[in-house]
């Protein structure tokens, strides 16, 4: 098992090095910081792009609290699940601060604090999927390496002005997670919430790309980037709902069996009552017939 793990990491490093050699450097475009909506409200520059990050803070803090209080609210049943989801909600909460800080004065230095929390959230989700769908021990051990890979990708971009590692960290989960969701059977119920979360994430990326056209279409009321923040915040919302509602698949089967047994018991009880009623009715008719015969004999 250790050799297989070493080979896997070795293969990943080789693939990364090959991609670095065959693909061109991707520098950070300064046009990225030129957002459509740059209005100030109440002294807050780029106000709507700043305040639209508030939902991340709310849902992130709520998820963190529910991971621990009330006790076992999310009903974690696998090793490492609580740690993985804690890292995810820490990342979501930090997005609320980091993205707001960046949008107050957009530049490369502040963009680090926008992207770093998102990377923590992406890599945590990868580890969570490995825990739930593949192996809980391997998934637990992968949390720290995946988080470190995300942090290194941000530092590499900042010091070498090359987005390739960050792009890999961001978009690989977008491919791997749907594949695992389709090919590997879920351990928990309510897995469709993953699909809803993925759908809102894709929608958020589309709105991000269409920042200025959406701002024009809405007559300068809302920009695509502000709406993108709201749609992206729906991802942790759906995942929190999933955690609150889900149960282990075996528990659902057991509940169905119990309901089936209780239904069969109800049917059997009804049959017994009907038979007993008919028997009593018959007995009453017989007793009445005997009494009539006795009265006639006495006459």
């Amino acid at each position: 098992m250790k050799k297989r793990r070493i080979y896997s990491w070795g293969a990943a490093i080789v693939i990364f090095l090959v991609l670095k050699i065959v693909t061109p450097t991707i520098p950070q475009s300064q046009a990225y910081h030129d957002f459509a909506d740059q209005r100030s409200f109440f002294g807050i520059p780029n106000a709507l792009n700043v305040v639209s990050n508030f939902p991340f803070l709310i849902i992130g803090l709520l998820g963190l609290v529910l991971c621990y209080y009330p006790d076992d609210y999310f009903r974690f049943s696998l090793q490492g699940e609580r740690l993985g989801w804690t890292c995810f909600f820490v990342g979501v909460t930090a997005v609320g601060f980091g993205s707001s800080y960046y949008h107050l004065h957009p530049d490369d230095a502040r963009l680090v604090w926008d992207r770093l929390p998102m990377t923590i959230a992406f890599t945590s989700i990868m580890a969570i999927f490995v825990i739930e769908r593949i192996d809980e021990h391997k998934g637990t051990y992968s949390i720290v390496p995946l988080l470190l890979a995300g942090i290194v990708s941000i530092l590499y971009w900042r010091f070498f002005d090359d987005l390739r590692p960050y792009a890999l960290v961001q978009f690989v989960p977008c491919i791997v997670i749907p594949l695992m969701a389709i090919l590997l059977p879920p351990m928990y119920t309510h897995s469709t919430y993953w699909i809803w979360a993925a759908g809102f994430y894709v929608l958020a990326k589309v709105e991000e790309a269409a920042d200025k056209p959406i701002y024009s279409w809405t007559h300068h009321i809302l920009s695509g980037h502000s709406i993108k923040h709201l749609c992206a915040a729906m991802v942790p919302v759906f995942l929190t709902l999933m955690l609150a509602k889900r149960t282990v698949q075996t528990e659902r089967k057991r509940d169905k069996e119990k309901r089936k047994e209780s239904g069969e018991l109800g049917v059997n009880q009804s049959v017994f009552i009907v038979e007993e009623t008919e028997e009593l009715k018959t007995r009453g008719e017989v007793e009445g017939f005997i009494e009539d015969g006795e009265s006639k004999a006495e006459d």
Side-chain angles (χ1 to χ4, degrees):
M1 293 298 290
K2 289 183 178 180
K3 286 185 177 180
R4 188 179 299 175
R5 193 178 306 162
I6 293 170
Y7 291 151
S8 299
W9 281 106
I13 292 170
V14 169
I15 291 170
F16 173 72
L17 293 175
V18 170
L19 287 173
K20 272 185 60 63
I21 294 170
V22 301
T23 58
T25 301
I26 306 176
Q28 177 63 59
S29 171
Q30 294 307 300
Y32 179 83
H33 308 302
D34 183 26
F35 297 102
D37 189 357
Q38 299 182 16
R39 294 171 296 174
S40 297
F41 294 112
F42 305 105
I44 302 173
N46 310 307
L48 291 184
N49 283 344
V50 172
V51 300
S52 57
N53 287 290
F54 187 65
F56 289 108
L57 179 61
I58 297 301
I59 191 62
L61 289 174
L62 178 63
L64 272 176
V65 170
L66 293 179
C67 278
Y68 296 92
Y69 306 102
D71 187 41
D72 203 29
Y73 181 78
F74 285 150
R75 297 185 294 275
F76 296 123
S77 60
L78 297 173
Q79 176 189 354
E81 270 192 301
R82 192 185 304 274
L83 176 60
W85 283 107
T86 298
C87 292
F88 172 73
F89 285 116
V90 166
V92 172
T93 305
V95 167
F97 291 107
S99 186
S100 297
Y101 174 71
Y102 163 66
H103 282 287
L104 285 170
H105 183 71
D107 59 20
D108 284 357
R110 290 186 176 225
L111 186 56
V112 172
W113 303 107
D114 181 25
R115 286 178 171 167
L116 185 59
M118 289 191 289
T119 303
I120 292 172
F122 292 144
T123 51
S124 299
I125 286 293
M126 277 287 294
I128 289 165
F129 246 84
V130 175
I131 290 170
E132 290 186 8
R133 304 290 178 111
I134 299 177
D135 184 88
E136 58 182 304
H137 300 291
K138 292 178 182 178
T140 303
Y141 293 139
S142 72
I143 293 174
V144 173
L146 286 172
L147 289 174
L148 288 175
I151 294 170
V152 168
S153 73
I154 297 294
L155 295 176
Y156 186 88
W157 156 64
R158 189 69 186 100
F159 286 106
F160 298 101
D161 194 24
D162 186 359
L163 285 169
R164 286 178 295 174
Y166 174 72
L168 199 65
V169 168
Q170 186 177 25
F171 290 109
V172 163
C174 297
I175 299 171
V176 173
I177 289 176
L179 285 176
M180 285 197 289
I182 294 169
L183 299 176
L184 301 176
M187 176 181 175
Y188 293 101
T189 62
H190 295 84
S191 292
T192 52
Y193 281 83
W194 284 108
I195 299 173
W196 282 102
F200 271 98
Y201 180 76
V202 171
L203 182 60
K205 299 305 287 184
V206 172
E207 290 163 345
E208 181 181 29
D211 180 32
K212 293 180 179 178
I214 291 175
Y215 192 54
S216 176
W217 296 338
T218 60
H219 301 285
H220 297 182
I221 297 174
L222 287 173
S223 69
H225 203 85
S226 298
I227 302 173
K228 171 245 183 178
H229 287 160
L230 300 178
C231 280
M234 291 302 296
V235 174
V237 167
F238 274 104
L239 295 183
T240 303
L241 288 172
M242 178 192 71
L243 290 174
K245 290 174 174 289
R246 70 180 188 174
T247 57
V248 179
Q249 291 278 15
T250 52
E251 291 180 3
R252 182 170 67 175
K253 290 179 181 177
R254 195 181 303 121
D255 290 340
K256 284 184 178 179
E257 289 174 359
K258 285 182 179 178
R259 286 196 297 270
K260 185 178 178 181
E261 288 175 0
S262 63
E264 289 176 353
L265 181 61
V267 170
N268 292 335
Q269 286 176 339
S270 300
V271 171
F272 175 75
I273 291 170
V274 170
E275 289 178 349
E276 189 176 14
T277 303
E278 291 179 352
E279 184 179 349
L280 290 173
K281 184 179 178 182
T282 304
R283 188 183 303 169
E285 291 176 352
V286 170
E287 289 176 353
F289 178 76
I290 294 171
E291 288 177 358
D292 290 342
E294 289 176 352
S295 61
K296 288 178 180 179
E298 289 175 358
D299 295 340

